[in-house]
Amino acid sequence: GAGVSQSPSNKVTEKGKDVELRCDPISGHTALYWYRQRLGQGLEFLIYFQGNSAPDKSGLPSDRFSAERTGESVSTLTIQRTQQEDSAVYLCASSLGVYRGETQYFGPGTRLLVL
Amino acid sequence: KQEVTQIPAALSVPEGENLVLNCSFTDSAIYNLQWFRQDPGKGLTSLLLIQSSQREQTSGRLNASLDKSSGRSTLYIAASQPGDSATYLCAVGSDYTGANSKLTFGKGITLSVRP
């Protein structure tokens, strides 16, 4: 079946603008995760959803970052008033459930460049 | 706070060589460890998932081992091929109360297999 998809694949924006990144998880996957990968850095956990609730937002770097999820499907990550340090690849993953040991399946990522 | 280290950052080997990629983590209270592969411009592909109760997992030419007490995992690649060239990421699922699969990633090892 289809994997995790993300859009746009690339986004260039000017500092101070808002951006919205989209993730479509694998159908039937109740858990959804957002990560960020900055150049030369490891992946950083941002937030995860169980259904449409977000039990763990501890990784969001500032209040400029927010995320929503509609039911058990699409999620959007919004960055307000973008800064140059927000430039990174934003990766989304989904898993069948939230039980420990579930494999996470990753999308191709959105490459964000803030000028 | 869990920290995951992968050394070296890059590795170049001739085709056919057997090789070992190392991963270390600071907090042994983990519930699983995953090895991922990341190709340029693409998302992550899960290679092997080892539960905390397991010692190793095998898939084809890949074998991953886990030693929780010493905080180490290794990914063994047999008879390496140019198609194995990619970045290999180690990720640890830690035992956070109430959280599920918040993964902590290493920075990865970029492998180049020369024909």
Side-chain angles (χ1 to χ4, degrees), chain A residues 11-12 19 26 30-31 37 47 52 54 58 64 79 81 92:
Chain A
K11 176 72 177 179
V12 180
V19 296
I26 294 173
T30 63
Q37 186 176 32
I47 186 172
N52 61 5
S58 62
R64 296 186 296 105
I79 310 173
R81 305 181 302 280
C92 174

Side-chain angles (χ1 to χ4, degrees), chain A:
Chain A
V4 178
S5 61
Q6 292 185 247
S7 61
S9 55
N10 292 281
K11 176 72 177 179
V12 180
T13 189
E14 294 178 348
K15 177 181 173 181
K17 301 278 190 181
D18 297 352
V19 296
E20 191 173 275
L21 312 179
R22 177 187 168 109
C23 172
D24 283 90
I26 294 173
S27 178
H29 281 194
T30 63
L32 185 147
Y33 312 82
W34 284 99
Y35 295 87
R36 176 171 74 171
Q37 186 176 32
R38 289 188 283 190
L39 189 64
Q41 303 295 315
L43 272 79
E44 305 168 68
F45 168 83
L46 298 179
I47 186 172
Y48 95 92
F49 289 89
Q50 167 58 23
N52 61 5
S53 67
D56 190 346
K57 305 179 183 178
S58 62
L60 293 177
S62 77
D63 59 8
R64 296 186 296 105
F65 287 71
S66 63
E68 293 183 345
R69 187 178 185 195
T70 305
E72 292 186 350
S73 59
V74 172
S75 175
T76 55
L77 177 68
T78 301
I79 310 173
Q80 296 179 309
R81 305 181 302 280
T82 52
Q83 304 294 312
Q84 289 181 331
E85 62 263 27
D86 299 334
S87 297
V89 177
Y90 289 82
L91 288 162
C92 174
S94 70
S95 64
L96 195 58
V98 291
Y99 303 107
R100 295 172 176 178
E102 293 281 358
T103 298
Q104 294 184 22
Y105 297 88
F106 282 77
T110 293
R111 283 151 194 78
L112 175 66
L113 177 62
V114 182
L115 301 176

Side-chain angles (χ1 to χ4, degrees), chain B residues 16-76:
Chain B
E17 189 162 302
N18 301 323
L19 57 103
V20 173
L21 306 182
N22 293 305
C23 171
S24 62
F25 47 94
T26 54
D27 186 349
S28 62
I30 68 169
Y31 55 82
N32 65 22
L33 182 145
Q34 281 186 259
W35 282 92
F36 291 88
R37 169 183 174 141
Q38 185 174 30
D39 292 280
K42 297 188 178 180
L44 278 67
T45 301
S46 180
L47 298 174
L48 290 164
L49 169 67
I50 311 176
Q51 303 292 355
S52 61
S53 58
Q54 297 174 322
R55 298 281 295 183
E56 65 177 342
Q57 283 288 325
T58 298
S59 176
R61 295 183 293 109
L62 305 179
N63 176 277
S65 66
L66 173 63
D67 185 340
K68 272 184 59 176
S69 60
S70 67
R72 295 179 188 276
S73 175
T74 61
L75 178 66
Y76 175 82

